[in-house]
Amino acid sequence: MLDPDEGVVGAIQLAFQQFRELRTAFKVMRYFCVNQIPFPRRRWRLGDIGTLHWGKAFLSRITALLHNPTYTGTYVYGRRRSFNVIEGGQIKKVKIQQLPQEEWKVIIHNAHEAYISWSEYLSNCERLRQNSPVSLSDGCPSTPREGFALLQGLVICGKCGRRMSPRYHGTGGCRAAYECSQARKLDGSMGVCWTVAGAAIDTAVAEQVLEAFTSEQLDISLAVLSELENQAFEIDKTWQLRLERARYEADRAGRQYDATEPENRLVARTLERRWNEKLQLLAELEEAYQKAHQVQRLELTAAQRQQILQLANDIPTLWHASTTTNLERKEILGLLVKQVAITPIDAPERSTRVQILWHTGVTSELIATRPTNAEKFRTPNQVIQLIEELAVGRTDSEIAHELNRRGLVGGKGRAFTKKGVAWIRWKFGIEKPLSNPQIAHLGVSPEGYYSTSALAKKLGVGIHTIYYWRDKGIIQAFQETDRSPWWYKVTPEILDTLREKIRRVPVKSE
């Protein structure tokens, strides 16, 4: 039968439900830990038989739960086989071996009440097998992981049919490539089948996937709201069961204390201490519930619901948002794309044929550019255009900071520096007009910046007064490059402030 404790049943059902959505045992374990949800365990050791204990949801406990066919209502016998290991003519240890399902001696379905179906159990076991790193070499699709390779676990080689693995280069692994090297693991052959840079392929597939999201095909808004509300309900339900159990134990300890004869002080003191401990645990649990309720936001406000509805209608904005991680993008791809085959094309132009197999069985084909080795390390055109836009009114250090803030990298995958920006400007002839002394002689730049002499003449003071105001931070000034003219950002308010300072200077009497 199912456990008579509703908290135990709820925790087990929650574990199976989260595995359906998260698809890895590690994420299920992390879900329980992040939301501070304890997991039950009944101990069967001598002196502690059948007692219920609550603790952390360790990964081994979640994995054992998913591998156990008992939760399907099936009675099985013979899942393991033990045999003695003999060393030096003596039995050293007993080894336990897991047997495949076809070698189990007894399998009786519908023997008792079930948490999940037998088909779901088999699906869970297959998912756990695919998640194992050992199975990746067998052609199993892997679980999405962190990394810039968007098609990790989905790409196969169009030349030999083997699975291709991501390889990362550059600072922080910012440049991804797909490499077919499975043949070496099979026959020990040297070299690789072929390798290709992944940026162009990832971009092409991402654009194709975003086109599949239309309001007529998917109602993302309602699905997101329903999922969030279900998670909030399950978390709150688990907390309420824990609070109910703690209140019962506190009340039970209080009743035991009240039923004790006052003269029996030895027992009364023990029961009073136990009662106080239960009350303290209840108070701590209620405080933890309030904190978790605030952090996790178990209830969605009307403003949050409206925000989700608006964002869900604009999938490209969510996809390109800085808060969306590569792991989340990979999970979205995995829901729509089953497999991606890539094949090199050398003539008439270097490119890559990309064939997408959707989960619906439909295939799509597109062509992605395949750069040469020289083109791989070339500065992206996006970076060159942005430097042209930022060149006026900014130093090379400020331009490098802005490029890094936007997450852009150079041709070699490195962050930008002051010298690097200066080299790019020289290489592509990007001028900085405010660095030209001849422009400074004109007095005022086309952008409205004043040179030192022009500002001194306008205010009727010496240039050393302008230097003094600049050093004291009274007026803002900048240099586009080292040893280039100083330019001053002057507004009508700043001019009034400077004229007021001039009027307050005392006049020397003769």
Side-chain angles (χ1 to χ4, degrees):
M1 65 177 67
L2 299 184
D3 197 289
D5 192 324
E6 291 184 7
V8 175
V9 176
I12 295 176
Q13 289 176 341
L14 183 60
F16 284 118
Q17 175 187 343
Q18 290 301 315
F19 186 77
R20 295 187 200 106
E21 300 171 0
L22 303 177
R23 303 168 64 189
T24 68
F26 178 80
K27 290 182 180 179
V28 174
M29 179 269 293
R30 185 171 58 183
Y31 174 84
F32 275 82
C33 294
V34 169
N35 293 284
Q36 302 178 20
I37 302 175
F39 203 77
R41 177 189 293 270
R42 290 200 179 273
R43 296 179 178 174
W44 302 100
R45 61 190 181 189
L46 186 62
D48 197 15
I49 298 178
T51 57
L52 178 64
H53 293 268
W54 293 86
K56 292 184 177 181
F58 294 107
L59 181 60
S60 59
R61 183 73 183 93
I62 299 297
T63 305
L65 177 78
L66 297 171
H67 278 297
N68 194 339
T70 305
Y71 294 95
T72 67
T74 303
Y75 173 80
V76 300
Y77 177 77
R79 288 195 298 157
R80 304 175 183 87
R81 177 177 60 190
S82 60
F83 56 92
N84 299 328
V85 177
I86 301 177
E87 296 180 0
Q90 296 181 353
I91 299 177
K92 293 295 184 180
K93 58 183 177 180
V94 177
K95 187 174 182 180
I96 306 297
Q97 180 184 17
Q98 297 284 346
L99 297 178
Q101 180 182 335
E102 55 270 13
E103 297 184 16
W104 294 355
K105 295 181 180 180
V106 179
I107 300 178
I108 304 176
H109 297 289
N110 301 321
H112 51 268
E113 196 170 354
Y115 284 91
I116 60 175
S117 64
W118 178 258
S119 60
E120 184 176 352
Y121 163 75
L122 297 178
S123 176
N124 291 345
C125 292
E126 177 63 20
R127 168 55 59 183
L128 290 173
R129 187 186 72 84
Q130 293 178 0
N131 292 345
S132 174
V134 179
S135 64
L136 297 183
S137 59
D138 298 333
C140 295
S142 63
T143 303
R145 293 177 172 85
E146 296 292 345
F148 287 93
L150 198 59
L151 303 179
Q152 167 251 323
L154 299 176
V155 183
I156 63 173
C157 177
K159 296 174 62 177
C160 64
R162 297 185 176 92
R163 187 162 299 278
M164 301 184 73
S165 304
R167 294 291 182 268
Y168 296 101
H169 311 278
T171 304
C174 58
R175 289 190 293 110
Y178 297 108
E179 179 181 274
C180 179
S181 59
Q182 296 295 331
R184 291 186 296 179
K185 301 177 182 179
L186 300 177
D187 55 15
S189 59
M190 301 300 293
V192 297
C193 179
W194 75 296
T195 182
V196 61
I201 299 174
D202 291 348
T203 302
V205 174
E207 292 176 354
Q208 192 77 8
V209 169
L210 292 177
E211 291 179 0
F213 285 102
T214 60
S215 57
E216 292 80 13
Q217 293 173 336
L218 296 174
D219 193 349
I220 302 297
S221 305
L222 297 180
V224 171
L225 285 176
S226 176
E227 177 62 25
L228 290 176
E229 290 173 349
N230 289 338
Q231 290 187 7
F233 174 77
E234 292 297 334
I235 294 174
D236 192 65
K237 178 182 176 182
T238 304
W239 274 105
Q240 294 301 331
L241 292 174
R242 294 177 63 188
L243 290 170
E244 183 180 350
R245 185 184 305 106
R247 294 190 185 103
Y248 164 76
E249 293 178 353
D251 293 341
R252 181 169 178 267
R255 292 194 302 271
Q256 290 177 342
Y257 174 75
D258 293 338
T260 306
E261 296 180 355
E263 295 78 8
N264 194 353
R265 297 180 179 177
L266 295 176
V267 176
R269 283 196 296 267
T270 301
L271 294 177
E272 183 181 10
R273 183 177 68 252
R274 186 180 301 170
W275 186 18
N276 290 331
E277 291 175 353
K278 296 296 183 181
L279 291 175
Q280 179 66 26
L281 291 176
L282 176 59
E284 293 175 355
L285 189 60
E286 289 177 342
E287 183 180 359
Y289 170 68
Q290 294 299 329
K291 291 182 180 179
H293 192 279
Q294 295 175 358
V295 173
Q296 296 297 330
R297 299 182 183 271
L298 300 181
E299 297 178 358
L300 292 174
T301 63
Q304 290 172 334
R305 292 174 62 92
Q306 185 63 28
Q307 184 180 15
I308 292 174
L309 289 171
Q310 293 175 354
L311 288 176
N313 291 329
D314 191 0
I315 297 299
T317 300
L318 288 175
W319 180 274
H320 297 293
S322 58
T323 55
T324 304
T325 64
N326 287 328
L327 179 60
E328 293 169 339
R329 295 186 181 98
K330 293 178 185 179
E331 291 177 346
I332 295 175
L333 279 176
L335 296 175
L336 299 177
V337 178
K338 185 176 182 179
Q339 209 169 63
V340 177
I342 58 177
T343 309
I345 300 177
D346 296 324
E349 184 180 0
R350 279 176 57 90
S351 57
T352 305
R353 178 184 292 111
V354 182
Q355 296 170 301
I356 304 175
L357 174 61
W358 305 85
H359 281 293
T360 58
V362 179
T363 60
S364 302
E365 183 173 322
L366 48 94
I367 302 297
T369 60
R370 184 158 59 100
T372 61
N373 290 332
E375 293 171 341
K376 291 180 183 178
F377 302 105
R378 182 177 300 170
T379 303
N381 293 330
Q382 177 187 2
V383 173
I384 299 173
Q385 295 175 0
L386 188 56
I387 291 178
E388 290 180 350
E389 297 175 4
L390 301 175
V392 179
R394 287 183 175 87
T395 65
D396 290 340
S397 297
E398 292 173 342
I399 295 175
H401 176 74
E402 179 64 19
L403 294 174
N404 295 330
R405 188 188 66 82
R406 300 191 184 190
L408 299 175
V409 293
K412 296 184 178 180
R414 299 174 182 173
F416 289 98
T417 62
K418 174 183 176 181
K419 292 183 178 179
V421 172
W423 185 89
I424 294 175
R425 289 195 303 102
W426 174 82
K427 175 69 175 179
F428 295 96
I430 301 175
E431 298 289 341
K432 294 179 70 66
L434 298 184
S435 301
N436 190 346
Q438 296 180 356
I439 302 296
H441 288 313
L442 298 177
V444 182
S445 70
E447 294 79 17
Y449 302 129
Y450 282 80
S451 66
T452 303
S453 58
L455 184 59
K457 182 178 180 181
K458 184 176 184 63
L459 297 174
V461 297
I463 60 174
H464 294 286
T465 302
I466 304 297
Y467 294 156
Y468 174 81
W469 286 339
R470 184 188 70 202
D471 296 338
K472 293 298 182 180
I474 298 174
I475 184 172
Q476 296 182 358
F478 67 93
Q479 285 178 298
E480 282 197 328
T481 59
D482 293 339
R483 301 179 182 180
S484 65
W486 284 93
W487 293 93
Y488 300 86
K489 301 177 181 178
V490 180
T491 61
E493 293 78 9
I494 294 177
L495 287 175
D496 293 340
T497 301
L498 297 179
R499 290 191 178 102
E500 182 65 24
K501 288 182 175 293
I502 296 172
R503 282 195 295 267
R504 291 203 303 264
V505 175
V507 180
K508 295 182 180 180
S509 59
E510 297 181 358

